[in-house]
Amino acid sequence: MALARVSTAELQRRLVHASGTGLVLLYVFGVVTWAQFGRLMLFAAAVAAVLETLRLFIGLDWAIYDRLTRPYEETNVAGYALYMFSITAVALVFAPHLAVPAALMLTIGDPISGLLGTTREADEAKGVETLGAMFLVCLLVSAPFLVPVAGAVAGGAASVAAALAATLADGFKPVIAGYVIDDNLSIPPVAAVAGGVVLAVAGAAPVVG
């Protein structure tokens, strides 16, 4: 599968996107506790909210916004803020074995998917090969967290469900009332909910944190 041709600005966006993995790894490697990670994400989300309020309503016009935001984000909340909000939400609601892979699907899976196949329009679906790569990456980042706590069958099924939900969210961005439902907002919650439903039905592991 060939990499899609991407601009320097698009590559920079993907690298910044992937850098959020470092926040998640602080918990994975035991640098912070789960409670501390939740507070860290609350702080990051609050900073993003303040910056977006300044940008949208007061006119904060930093050059970095020109490089890292897309045209449809000029009058809407930018993807980086939605990214922080969605990871924070799953960290506060779901158990770590669901929230961590859901976040990694966004920080790792989405940039890889974007490099493999960018789209021209917000509501244009990605190609089948790109979606397949996204599903595989999401499955690989979810299984190590879900299988150990829920077992091979339930954990594997939850991993598949979470990866499939994230792939669908990544593959198509609907536009509702002129607002793009950005995958930065949708990937973590839909992945955590899908995986959580499987765990709850199987009674295999806790769902909420």
Side-chain angles (χ1 to χ4, degrees):
M1 183 186 299
L3 290 174
R5 292 185 178 180
V6 294
S7 65
T8 300
E10 181 66 20
L11 181 59
Q12 289 173 340
R13 278 194 288 267
R14 299 298 174 183
L15 291 174
V16 171
H17 201 108
S19 69
T21 303
L23 289 173
V24 184
L25 293 181
L26 290 176
Y27 167 73
V28 174
F29 291 141
V31 178
V32 298
T33 66
W34 187 242
Q36 289 170 336
F37 177 73
R39 290 194 289 271
L40 174 63
M41 291 311 305
L42 274 174
F43 175 75
V47 171
V50 170
L51 290 176
E52 281 302 281
T53 299
L54 293 174
R55 182 179 72 88
L56 293 172
F57 298 106
I58 298 179
L60 183 65
D61 189 25
W62 288 345
I64 192 171
Y65 286 129
D66 295 331
R67 300 292 296 173
L68 299 181
T69 59
R70 294 182 174 84
Y72 67 80
E73 295 173 322
E74 291 179 3
T75 57
N76 294 315
V77 179
Y80 79 91
L82 299 177
Y83 177 106
M84 292 299 179
F85 299 158
S86 62
I87 294 177
T88 301
V90 296
L92 295 178
V93 173
F94 293 94
H97 50 266
L98 283 167
V100 168
L104 292 176
M105 290 178 194
L106 176 60
T107 67
I108 298 176
D110 187 46
I112 291 175
S113 170
L115 289 175
L116 291 176
T118 57
T119 55
R120 291 189 298 273
E121 301 295 337
D123 59 352
E124 180 185 350
K126 292 182 178 179
V128 173
E129 290 185 347
T130 302
L131 294 178
M134 174 67 175
F135 176 79
L136 180 59
V137 171
C138 291
L139 188 62
L140 290 175
V141 301
S142 59
F145 295 95
L146 289 167
V147 171
V149 300
V153 176
S159 298
V160 170
L164 180 59
T167 300
L168 293 175
D170 174 69
F172 185 74
K173 300 178 185 178
V175 180
I176 300 176
Y179 186 81
V180 178
I181 307 302
D182 198 293
D183 56 11
N184 288 300
L185 181 64
S186 60
I187 288 175
V190 300
V193 167
V197 167
V198 174
L199 294 184
V201 170
V207 173
V208 297

